Amino acid sequence: MTPAVTAADEVAHTAVLRLEHVLEHYAHSTPLSVWRWAVLQRMNAVRELLVSETEVPPDLLQARRSSALRERNTLLDRMTVLRFRVLADCDVDRANYELRRLMVDLRHHLQRLNDIAYDEVEGETGGSD
């Protein structure tokens, strides 16, 4: 049984796609200041998604959730540093590279959360002994 795609999953997917789109097309067709503003706006949307992740009650998957929470906090820390780089760094190529790397790690994090949710559903539908 596969869990249904939730509205939150769709919002996360859209926010990530919008940021990735800006990163792919940076400075090619827009002035740098416009690109910086667009990246910051999209980073804020992604950051809000990460901040809205909440802890759930302890159970058999608590260790995996704790790991995901630590990973989320690391991603938020990296986003904070990168926001300042986007605003002021002269090496835009480097900032863009680091943001793209962050997006890869963010996608891994979101997949890990989906895996945990899937395992929870599997555990609930396992039946009784």
Side-chain angles (χ1 to χ4, degrees):
M1 176 177 185
T2 305
V5 175
T6 65
D9 292 335
E10 286 296 322
V11 169
H13 180 70
T14 301
V16 170
L17 279 178
R18 291 183 75 208
L19 180 53
E20 286 176 337
H21 178 75
V22 171
L23 296 175
E24 288 173 11
H25 301 294
Y26 89 97
H28 293 293
S29 60
T30 58
L32 187 56
S33 61
V34 173
W35 177 82
R36 289 178 195 264
W37 182 85
V39 168
L40 290 174
Q41 293 302 308
R42 284 155 180 85
M43 282 180 77
N44 285 338
V46 171
R47 185 180 183 286
E48 287 176 18
L49 288 169
L50 289 173
V51 168
S52 69
E53 288 178 21
T54 58
E55 268 193 272
V56 291
D59 65 0
L60 296 174
L61 299 173
Q62 185 60 35
R64 290 177 63 195
R65 284 198 192 105
S66 294
S67 176
L69 184 63
R70 283 190 304 274
E71 182 179 67
R72 180 205 67 173
N73 291 340
T74 300
L75 290 168
L76 286 169
D77 290 344
R78 287 173 59 195
M79 286 189 88
T80 299
V81 170
L82 287 171
R83 289 180 73 202
F84 289 108
R85 296 210 54 195
V86 167
L87 277 172
D89 199 340
C90 294
D91 189 358
V92 179
D93 290 331
R94 182 67 185 172
N96 189 51
Y97 170 80
E98 289 181 22
L99 279 163
R100 291 174 77 135
R101 182 64 222 162
L102 175 72
M103 297 311 299
V104 169
D105 294 343
L106 177 63
R107 283 202 176 274
H108 290 157
H109 174 71
L110 294 174
Q111 182 59 51
R112 198 164 288 114
L113 293 178
N114 286 336
D115 292 346
I116 291 170
Y118 179 82
D119 290 347
E120 286 174 346
V121 169
E122 285 296 308
E124 291 172 3
T125 60
S128 62
D129 290 334

